């Protein structure tokens, strides 16, 4: 059987890639994709931990399901906000959103 | 504490949430039925409905002295959650009154619905006692707030505020979620109180737990706008519609502090894990100092209030660092005082903007001649923010600083007092413009206040005076709240 640590390392790597995407990418859609990777990393953690550490309960599974639902809602709202700013500025580059500063 | 199986009295524990859902249904239905020009009355419906919910909840769903874990351990029915729920309902009702006459806000049913959904999430945040419920509640609060910040689709500033808030908020909550999963994994449980017990018996590996605490604190620090996760606040407050900015800086921040207190006092108790107090002390000092220092240079009143609200998060964090019965009481009292004071400040800004169309501090010149009552309310609110007696902000600061001194954090209290002096300077600068400066062009022009705003401002100004002078009952309420959250097992 694959040891638990492999799943955790995989999830940590996925989380780091997502975080790097959030911090380094300038395109808002790419930033949202990075956030999705981070949420997926959390889900892998949840399911791996559930299977290996507490398989008798359902908390891990229930948590993962709720994360799906929240992620879907967050992306729906996120894309809507990105579209609303795209209509006014014809751009989704985060660096160009600089009306509000200091 | 044992988890009770279902019985009908549990419905009483979530009565405010159930009634909020009913109110949301009413607002949605009437929004579809009513003609556009009638829809302003949805604000009256929302504010009145929220007031009715508060009365009903106070009448029948008050918790007992003994906290109960209800709904499979997801929620804890205690005075801590209940008092915060009342605070959020009050904040939402006042926000609805301020929003009624705001352009693009007041005549849109969606605005009230989104605000009520967010309030529902805050209510669940205040009573959540399980990691799953905590995450779901935080997201239920945040997602409508992203939309509300970007609500004015025809305004470049508002869309940008919504865009930034959503990107930063989504990233911060994903980091927090990763921390929550680590906590679940290493402890094998999601209930705060079982986690706290395992932590207390030192059954858990230290390093992953500290790591998960840091990740979770990232999410909370974002919600309360503490340094180094404060950078979104000025941009979002400036761009968002002013009533929404007021709601964000008061109710949403109070909800962040509620979960911070609950999680730190039930899972990462100072006995089991004392290291976080040092970390939070550093955060508190940076938050106060940076907030006050940057507020000094602001020309826009909403940005000034944003930096001031960052500084206030720092003062409240002093109470959390000191962590004792008095400190938690002080934090709760501070949040009550801060909520009414800052709602009043943003309400005045919203009222002024509706007539003058400007948020620049320089344009406030001569306001005391145009509308003495509005200037008076501004004087009360700003002096309370600065912490002048006999107003609410003064008493709140005294309790928090006293708790710091009592817990041997004298240096922290000194930093807090020095920061309050810096704060006093920039609040007085605004009041100087309002009272002493005159403006030839605007002299004698009317500055009408709409009826709902006038009602809300009257309630808030009287509240600031009442909490500041007759603070006994409020203090004993805060003490009862502190007692409930400090009672763990």
């Amino acid at each position: 059987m694959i040891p638990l640590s492999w799943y955790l390392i995989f999830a940590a790597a996925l989380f780091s890639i997502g975080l790097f995407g959030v911090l380094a990418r300038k395109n808002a859609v790419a930033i949202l994709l990075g956030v999705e990777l981070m949420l997926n990393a959390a889900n892998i953690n949840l399911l791996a931990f559930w299977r290996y550490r507490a398989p008798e309960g359902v908390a891990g599974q229930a948590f993962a399901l709720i994360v799906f639902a929240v992620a879907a809602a967050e992306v729906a709202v996120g894309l809507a906000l990105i579209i609303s700013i795209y209509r006014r500025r014809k751009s989704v580059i985060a660096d160009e959103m600089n009306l509000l500063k200091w | 504490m044992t988890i009770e199986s279902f019985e009908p009295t549990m419905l009483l524990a979530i009565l405010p949430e159930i009634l909020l859902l009913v109110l949301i249904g009413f607002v949605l239905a009437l929004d579809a039925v009513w003609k556009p020009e009638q829809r302003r009355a949805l604000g009256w419906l929302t504010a009145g409905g929220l007031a009715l919910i508060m009365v009903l909840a106070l009448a029948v769903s008050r918790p007992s002295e003994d906290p109960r874990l209800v709904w499979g351990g997801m929620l804890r029915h205690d005075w801590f959650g209940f008092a915060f729920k009342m605070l959020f309902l009050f904040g939402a009702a006042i926000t609805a009154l301020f929003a009624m006459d705001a352009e693009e806000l007041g005549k849109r049913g969606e605005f009230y619905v989104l605000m009520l959904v967010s309030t529902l999430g805050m209510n669940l945040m205040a009573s959540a006692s399980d990691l799953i419920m905590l995450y779901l509640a935080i997201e239920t609060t945040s997602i409508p707030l992203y939309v509300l910040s970007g609500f004015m689709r025809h305004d470049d500033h508002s869309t940008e505020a919504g865009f930034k808030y959503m990107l930063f908020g989504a990233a911060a909550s994903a980091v927090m979620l990763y921390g929550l999963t680590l906590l679940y994994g290493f402890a094998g449980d999601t209930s705060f109180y079982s986690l706290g017990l395992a932590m207390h018996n030192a059954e858990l590996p230290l390093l992953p737990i500290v790591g998960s605490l840091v990740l979770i604190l990232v999410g909370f620090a974002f919600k309360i706008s503490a340094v180094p996760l404060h950078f979104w606040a000025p941009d979002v407050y400036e761009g968002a519609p002013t009533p929404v900015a007021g709601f964000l800086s008061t109710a949403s921040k109070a909800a962040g502090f509620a979960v911070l207190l609950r999680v730190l006092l039930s899972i990462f108790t100072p006995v089991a894990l004392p290291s976080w107090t040092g970390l939070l002390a550093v955060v508190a000092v940076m938050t106060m100092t940076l907030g006050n220092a940057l507020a000094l240079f602001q020309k826009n009143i909403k940005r000034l209030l944003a930096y001031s609200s960052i500084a206030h998060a720092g003062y409240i964090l002093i109470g959390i660092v000191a962590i004792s019965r008095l400190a938690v009481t002080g934090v709760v009292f501070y949040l009550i005082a801060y909520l009414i004071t800052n709602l009043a400040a943003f309400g005045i800004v919203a009222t002024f903007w509706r007539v003058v169309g400007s948020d620049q501090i320089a344009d406030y010149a001569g306001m005391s001649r145009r509308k003495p009552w509005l200037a008076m309310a501004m004087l009360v609110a700003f002096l309370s923010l600065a912490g002048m007696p006999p107003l609410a902000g003064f008493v709140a600061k005294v309790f928090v600083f006293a708790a710091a001194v009592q817990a041997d954090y004298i240096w922290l209290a000194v930093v807090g007092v020095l920061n309050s002096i810096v704060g006093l300077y920039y609040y007085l600068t605004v009041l100087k413009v309002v009272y002493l400066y005159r403006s030839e062009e605007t002299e004698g022009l009317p500055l009408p206040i709409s009826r709902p705003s006038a009602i809300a401002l009257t309630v808030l100004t009287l509240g600031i005076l009442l909490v500041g002078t007759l603070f006994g009952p409020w203090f004993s309420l805060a003490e009862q709240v502190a007692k409930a959250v400090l009672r763990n097992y």
Side-chain angles (χ1 to χ4, degrees), chain A residues 8 11-13 15 19 22 28 31-32 35 38-39 41-43 45-47 49-51 53-54 56-63 66-67 70-71 73-74 77-79 81-82 84-85 87-89 92-94 96-102, chain B residues 131-132 135-136 139 142-143 146-147 149-164 166-167 169-175 177-178 180-190 215 234-236 238-240 294 298 303 307:
Chain A
L8 299 187
F15 182 80
L19 191 61
V22 169
I31 296 175
L32 263 191
V35 171
M38 289 159 79
L39 293 177
N43 263 346
N45 254 357
L46 280 173
L47 292 179
F49 276 132
W50 166 73
R51 182 69 183 78
R53 299 293 296 270
E56 67 283 355
V58 293
Q61 279 185 332
F63 206 158
I66 284 182
V67 175
V70 167
E74 208 159 52
V77 164
L79 286 177
L81 284 166
I82 290 173
S84 100
I85 204 160
R87 282 189 181 150
R88 296 199 59 84
R89 313 252 183 110
V92 292
I93 307 301
E96 292 170 15
M97 307 306 160
N98 53 8
L99 277 178
L100 304 165
K101 58 182 174 190
W102 288 106
Chain B
L131 298 181
I132 302 175
Y135 179 68
L136 187 59
E139 292 298 316
S142 302
I143 292 175
Y146 303 154
V147 185
S149 308
F151 202 77
M152 298 196 291
R153 278 179 301 140
H154 306 292
D155 181 281
D156 280 340
H157 293 274
S158 178
T159 45
E160 184 174 324
F163 176 84
K164 285 185 171 168
M166 179 271 299
L167 286 183
S173 82
V175 172
L177 174 67
Y178 195 74
L180 294 179
T181 62
L182 288 181
L183 191 58
Y184 161 69
F186 284 99
D189 207 326
T190 55
L215 293 174
D235 289 2
V236 173
E238 185 189 344
L294 290 176
Q298 298 308 318
R303 285 191 93 79
Y307 282 110

Side-chain angles (χ1 to χ4, degrees), chain B residues 257-340:
Chain B
F257 272 108
V259 288
L260 180 64
L261 267 179
R262 172 91 78 187
V263 166
L264 288 182
L265 287 175
S266 58
I267 306 179
F268 306 100
T269 46
V271 185
L273 196 70
S275 49
W276 57 259
T277 46
L279 175 72
L280 279 191
V282 175
V283 172
V285 170
M286 289 198 310
T287 308
M288 282 186 291
T289 315
L290 201 84
N292 278 322
L294 290 176
L296 289 172
F297 307 106
Q298 298 308 318
K299 303 264 182 293
N300 180 306
I301 189 128
K302 281 164 85 179
R303 285 191 93 79
L304 180 121
L305 284 174
Y307 282 110
S308 120
S309 96
I310 293 171
H312 279 276
Y315 301 137
I316 302 173
L317 278 173
I318 293 181
I320 295 187
V321 172
I323 212 78
S324 61
R325 177 95 164 259
L326 178 65
V328 179
T329 310
V331 167
V332 175
F333 191 94
Y334 203 115
L335 286 170
I336 297 173
Y338 172 76
L339 184 117
I340 50 177

